[in-house]
Amino acid sequence: MPPLRTALLQSSGRIGDVAENLKALDEAAGRAAAAGAGLLVTPEMFLTGYAIGEDVPRLAEAADGMSARAIGEIARRHGLAVLYGYPERDGETVYNSAQLIGPDGTSLANYRKTHLFGCFEQESFTPGDTTVVQAEYAGLTIGLLICYDVEFPENVRAHALAGTDLLLVPTAQMHPFQFVAEQVVPVRAFENQMYVAYVNRTGPEGEFEFVGLSCLASPDGATRTRAGRGEEMVFGEADPELLRASRENNPYLRDRRPGLYRSLI
């Protein structure tokens, strides 16, 4: 299979304005497709903005709601898959979620953040209860996590053991934790032998200061692309052949001794 060219959209959009964020997504999808990308990844809560406070219940939508249908049309029109972050309503419950829409406009996977960070998230959302959510796309097994989730090694190892090739991590990484983007994410890719696309917000938003530094890290420990601190779109390729060769040469997963680790759970 050819490499999957992946566009990482580092942007905070417009806080609280879903219509404007959909317009921005449409424009970004056009640019990504024109650059040969088959996948566009946006940050955590891109649809609404992150620091929306008490507006979370008002702005939350069902996984198959109006915005999902609009994004399905964007994906169809531009012929690529789109991963977007949003507040998901399921009855009276609200989750911090990410949904992957295929180029035919249908949902490939929907993930609910399992590890909620800080008072805002813990007061606004219910944690999800499914660690590994995957989809097959472009010859790769795509996995989904959100932000804080990737900082727990158990989460990423669970994806590795389930066969994830490319892990998509929309994030709202804030100051002073930029070392996660710079150091933790490439290590996660190397120790679990997968690609990790970590896509951040940027700039001030409410009480938060997002640091950017979105990246695509590869299983050989390299950072294939890295954004700066401002709004931008960067591109990287998830190459199945590099993944195969790296897994063949790196013994981490083969040399595990699970019987020794039972005390960890």
Side-chain angles (χ1 to χ4, degrees):
M1 297 295 296
L4 174 60
R5 187 160 173 80
T6 302
L8 282 58
L9 177 62
Q10 181 166 285
S11 172
S12 288
R14 185 174 297 181
I15 187 167
D17 195 333
V18 172
E20 283 300 313
N21 292 331
L22 287 172
K23 288 180 183 178
L25 181 60
D26 190 15
E27 187 273 337
R31 287 191 288 129
L39 171 64
L40 170 64
V41 185
T42 75
E44 182 176 7
M45 295 279 284
F46 178 78
L47 184 64
T48 60
Y50 181 86
I52 54 176
E54 296 179 355
D55 281 339
V56 168
R58 178 179 67 84
L59 293 172
E61 296 189 27
D64 60 353
M66 290 181 60
S67 292
R69 293 193 292 274
I71 294 169
E73 178 55 33
I74 290 170
R76 273 195 301 272
R77 187 163 60 253
H78 296 292
L80 79 174
V82 177
L83 185 283
Y84 71 100
Y86 73 111
E88 178 194 355
R89 175 174 294 284
D90 185 357
E92 295 303 310
T93 305
V94 178
Y95 301 93
N96 182 337
S97 296
Q99 183 157 214
L100 179 63
I101 303 291
D104 64 353
T106 63
S107 176
L108 299 179
N110 188 71
Y111 170 76
R112 296 165 172 173
K113 189 174 185 178
T114 55
H115 294 72
L116 301 178
F117 178 80
C119 294
F120 163 63
E121 290 191 14
Q122 293 170 8
E123 293 170 359
S124 301
F125 302 105
T126 296
D129 58 9
T130 303
T131 300
V132 177
V133 172
Q134 296 171 312
E136 299 300 318
Y137 177 64
L140 297 170
T141 299
I142 309 292
L144 308 182
L145 290 177
I146 299 174
C147 196
Y148 195 37
D149 291 328
V150 81
E151 298 176 40
F152 292 81
E154 299 89 346
N155 280 345
V156 189
R157 181 52 53 87
H159 270 277
L161 296 178
T164 291
D165 299 316
L166 170 59
L167 185 64
L168 307 183
V169 188
T171 188
Q173 182 64 64
M174 58 197 70
H175 179 81
F177 306 112
Q178 51 265 32
F179 66 88
V180 174
E182 294 171 332
Q183 300 172 37
V184 174
V185 170
V187 169
R188 289 285 179 271
F190 181 69
E191 69 190 2
N192 290 289
Q193 287 300 287
M194 63 175 63
Y195 285 91
V196 180
Y198 187 79
V199 185
N200 200 10
R201 306 180 70 81
T202 181
E205 190 176 326
E207 64 184 287
F208 307 109
E209 177 73 29
F210 299 113
V211 301
L213 301 175
S214 301
C215 66
L216 178 68
S218 60
D220 59 359
T223 299
R224 296 292 160 175
T225 190
R226 167 80 70 188
R229 297 298 186 101
E231 299 237 350
E232 63 178 309
M233 184 187 293
V234 296
F235 297 86
E237 295 189 342
D239 184 350
E241 178 56 28
L242 186 150
L243 183 63
R244 183 203 62 76
S246 183
R247 286 174 171 172
E248 183 175 298
N249 292 326
N250 188 312
Y252 275 168
L253 298 179
R254 294 192 300 273
D255 288 350
R256 293 173 64 253
R257 297 182 60 192
L260 299 179
Y261 316 143
R262 290 178 183 143
S263 63
L264 295 179
I265 57 171

